[in-house]
Amino acid sequence: MLEIENLSVSIEGKTLLKDISLHIEEGETRMLFGENGSGKTSLLMAIMGLGKYRVDSGRILFKGEDITRLTTDERAKRGIGIMFQRPPTIRGLKVEDMLELIKAQGLDPEELAAELNFTEFLHRDLNLGFSGGEIKRAELLQLLAQDPDLVLLDEPESGVDLVNISVIGNAIRRLLQKDVHRNRRKAGLIITHSGYILDYVEADKGCVLVNETIWCTGNPHEILNGIREHGYEGCLTCQR
Amino acid sequence: MSEITKKAQAARDKPAKFGPDIKLDEYTLEAPEYQEKKLEDIDVVDRERLLNAGVDISGKERSGSFIQVDRTVIHAAPTQEGIEVTSTREALEKYDWLEEYLWQLVQVDADKYTASAELNFQDGYFVRAMPGASTVFPVQACLYLKSEDISQNVHNIIIAEEGSELHIITGCATDSPESRGLHVGISEFYVKKNAKITFSMIHNWAENVAVRPRSAIRIEEGGVFLNNYICLHPVESLQLYPSAFLVGEGATARFNSVLMAPEGSHMDVGSRAVLSAPETRCEIIARAITTGGEVINRGLLVGEVPGVKAHLECRGMILKGGGRIYAIPELDGQVEGVDMSHEAAVGKIAQEEVEYLMARGLTEDEAVATIVRGFMHVDIEGLPPVLKEQIDHAIELSEKSLF
C-alpha cells in the first residue's frame, strides 16, 4: 500500500530524514519507535505532503502511484489520513460542520461521535479549549468520518487518561479494521514513544527511527523490549 | 424655535469626532413622494437587495414591518397584538409623552449629522413592545435609498416596556450597487426594567454611499440589549459608534459586529458601553476582514461603579494587500472593584490551519473559505435561520473576490 524509496527530507536546508525506505502492506499495522527529535513526526508530515517539508530525493508511492509531488488534499482524497499531535484551533467551525465537510459516504457522524463519547463536543469550535485527551478524540473522530485506507497516527496515547485510553484504542482498532481477519485492507503507521498503545492495538511490525533514518524492522514487542533494556543507543549496535 | 432646533442649528457645520467629513450640500433632500402600500403591493424596491439585508417583503415570519423609501414611509404596520410599529411622525402626533424620548440619549448637537437629522427630519420608525408583550417573530424595518444623491435623515425610537421582549431586524439597502447617497439615522433605544431587545442591523449599501448612524441605548434594571451589526458589502464611508448606558442593576449589553471591507470601502465602526450600576455586564465582540478596504475598529468600556464586568474582543483578518485594520480597544475603570478586559488580534490566515483542512481533503480554496466563514461566525443569538442563510450567502459572494 505504501512504498517509500530512499526518501530524504529537509526544512529550510536542514536535513530531517535521510535515505528512508519503508514498505507497508495492505492490512498491516506498523509501529514507529524513536526518541524525541529523531524525525518520526517529519516522516508522517512528508508522507502527507505538508508544506514546510521538502523532499530532496527519493519518492513515495501509494497504491502504486507516485504521490511525491501531489498536494496534501490530493493525497487525502486518495485515501491517506493523518492524526495531528497538536492540531490548530479553527474558530467558528463546529466539530459537526467539519465532519459534514469531510465524511465519507454512508457514515453517520453522530453515531461515530457517540462511540468516542464525544457527542457533547459536536457543537463546539474545532479544537478550541480542548484538553489533550479531547484533541485525540476529535482527531480520531475526523479520521473515522474520513475513513482513509492508510492512517498516520502521531502518538495517539500521549496525554490520554486511563478512562479514555480504551476508547481511543477501540477507535484505532476500528480505523484499522482489526475485527476483519481476512482480506483486511486498512493499514496504519503509528508513532509511539512509550509503546503503551501496543496494549490496546495489535501491531504486525515495528521499526525504529534513529539518526534520521530507519534502523531496524521486526517484531514490535521485541523492539520495544530492546529499547527498554538498551535504549536507542542499543539499536545502533544492532545489525540492520 | 425650540431649544433642540436652536442647538441643531448651532451644530449644523460641526464635524464629527470620527470618520471622514461628508459635505452635506453635495446631497439633495428632494425625492419623489411614494404611495403608501400594502406589503404585497410594494413595487418600488428591489426585493433581492432587501432580502440580502434581512428584509423579507412577503412579511412571512415577521411580527410587523416598516418600510421607508427615501423620505416617504410606504408601509408601517404590526401583525401582532402588544407590538406597535408606526412612523415616528405618527407616533409623535399620537403620544405627547414621546417628546421626552426624543434626543434624550443622542445629543442633537453632537455633530453636523445629528443636527441634520433634526433640521431635515424625514420620519423614521417607532417600535414599541407593551408591558409584558413578546414578539413571536422579529419586527422588520427597512430604510431604503432610491433616488440618486439623496440625503436620507431619519429618527427612530424603540421602546421595550417593562418585562417585554422585542426583536427587530433593520435592513438598509440602496436601489442598486451604483447608487449614490447619504444616510443619517438616529436611533434611541429604551430597555425598561426586565425587558429585552435584540436588534440586528444588516447593511447592504453601495460603493458611493456614505452612512452616519447615531445610536444610543438606555438599559434599566435587569434589562438586556443584544446588538448584532453586519456589513459585508461595499460602502464608501461608514462611521458608527453606538453607546449603551447600563443604568439599572444587573443590566446586560452585548454587541456583535461582523464586517467585511472590500477595496474602496472605509469603515469606522465600534461600540461603547458605560456601566454605571452594580452587577451590570457588557460584552463587545467584533470580527473584521479586509480584502483591500480600511477598517477602524473601536471599542470603549467605562466602569463607573464596583462589581461591573465587561469584556471587549476584536479580531481582524487581512486577506489582501492594500487593506488595513486598525483596532483601538479602550478600557476606562473609574473605581476599585471593576472587572474589565480586552483582547485584540490582527493577522492573516494561518497557513497551519489551511494545511490542517487540506489534510482532511479540502482543496486550498475550500480550506481558506471554510476558515473565513468560521472567523465571521460569531454566535449571533436570536438570528432567524433565514437570516443566517443570507449571511452565509453574503459571505460566499464576498469569498469570490478573494480568489
Side-chain angles (χ1 to χ4, degrees), chain B residues 61-354:
Chain B
E61 299 197 340
R62 296 288 188 266
S63 288
S65 297
F66 169 93
I67 296 168
Q68 176 165 348
V69 178
D70 295 340
R71 58 196 179 107
T72 320
V73 176
I74 59 167
H75 180 91
T79 53
Q80 191 193 322
E81 215 169 300
I83 307 295
E84 278 187 88
V85 178
T86 184
S87 73
T88 305
R89 205 185 294 274
E90 272 195 23
L92 282 167
E93 281 168 19
K94 188 174 171 189
Y95 299 120
D96 291 338
W97 50 261
L98 194 56
E99 286 286 348
E100 286 173 29
Y101 287 74
L102 221 55
W103 296 116
Q104 284 305 302
L105 304 179
V106 176
Q107 301 304 309
V108 68
D109 55 358
D111 54 41
K112 63 205 256 189
Y113 312 109
T114 53
S116 173
E118 169 62 19
L119 300 172
N120 306 308
F121 173 66
Q122 300 165 332
D123 231 323
Y125 57 81
F126 171 76
V127 178
R128 179 185 180 209
M130 295 306 203
S134 176
T135 44
V136 178
F137 297 113
V139 168
Q140 62 180 359
C142 162
L143 298 161
Y144 194 83
L145 296 190
K146 188 167 176 70
S147 300
E148 199 56 17
D149 295 330
I150 183 77
S151 161
Q152 186 182 55
N153 295 264
V154 298
H155 196 139
N156 312 310
I157 303 283
I158 301 97
I159 304 172
E161 299 286 2
E162 232 177 89
S164 69
E165 204 172 318
L166 188 56
H167 188 170
I168 302 176
I169 294 172
T170 289
C172 297
T174 51
D175 206 39
S176 90
E178 285 80 40
S179 303
R180 179 175 185 274
L182 165 69
H183 168 88
V184 174
I186 311 300
S187 300
E188 294 180 284
F189 296 82
Y190 295 88
V191 185
K192 302 280 182 75
K193 190 175 170 184
N194 296 327
K196 179 180 180 182
I197 292 180
T198 303
F199 183 74
S200 302
M201 184 152 78
I202 297 122
H203 277 172
N204 185 10
W205 300 110
E207 280 171 27
N208 295 313
V209 173
V211 186
R212 293 292 182 269
R214 296 290 181 259
S215 305
I217 310 101
R218 184 175 192 276
I219 312 161
E220 294 181 11
E221 187 183 332
V224 176
F225 180 75
L226 303 177
N227 185 86
N228 301 311
Y229 177 66
I230 295 150
C231 186
L232 304 168
H233 299 279
V235 60
E236 182 185 354
S237 169
L238 163 72
Q239 189 268 314
L240 59 90
Y241 201 4
S243 301
F245 301 99
L246 293 89
V247 296
E249 188 167 343
T252 302
R254 181 179 165 132
F255 290 87
N256 291 319
S257 60
V258 180
L259 309 169
M260 188 176 267
E263 199 179 337
S265 287
H266 182 280
M267 300 178 177
D268 185 331
V269 173
S271 312
R272 61 191 144 194
V274 181
L275 297 94
S276 55
E279 302 301 318
T280 48
R281 301 275 178 270
C282 180
E283 188 173 39
I284 298 172
I285 310 271
R287 296 278 183 274
I289 284 188
T290 170
T291 56
E294 180 169 15
V295 178
I296 299 173
N297 203 263
R298 299 177 197 277
L300 171 62
L301 295 170
V302 183
E304 293 186 337
V305 296
V308 304
K309 197 174 162 81
H311 181 67
L312 174 58
E313 180 185 311
C314 168
R315 287 179 189 276
M317 206 183 255
I318 300 170
L319 294 186
K320 258 191 184 174
R324 179 186 185 210
I325 295 176
Y326 184 20
I328 312 169
E330 292 180 273
L331 303 179
D332 179 4
Q334 300 181 350
V335 288
E336 211 179 340
V338 297
D339 178 0
M340 302 194 298
S341 57
H342 78 70
E343 59 175 302
V346 175
K348 60 175 186 176
I349 284 195
Q351 189 58 25
E352 185 197 17
E353 293 178 29
V354 175

Side-chain angles (χ1 to χ4, degrees), chain A residues 48 50-51 72-73 76-77 82 84 87-94 98 101-102 126-127 139 142 146, chain B residues 287 313 315 343 352-364 366 370-371 373-375 377 379:
Chain A
M48 201 68 233
L50 290 158
T72 298
D73 58 307
K77 285 196 182 86
I82 186 165
F84 287 82
T89 295
I90 314 284
R91 279 176 189 273
L93 177 62
K94 305 217 177 305
M98 178 66 170
L101 282 175
I102 62 174
L126 187 57
N127 301 328
E139 288 291 292
Q142 291 173 68
Q146 262 183 288
Chain B
R287 296 278 183 274
E313 180 185 311
R315 287 179 189 276
E343 59 175 302
E352 185 197 17
E353 293 178 29
V354 175
E355 288 197 341
Y356 181 61
L357 296 182
M358 288 175 74
R360 300 277 181 250
L362 275 69
T363 64
E364 188 172 3
E366 287 166 348
T370 302
I371 292 163
R373 208 172 296 141
F375 177 81
H377 264 276
D379 274 326

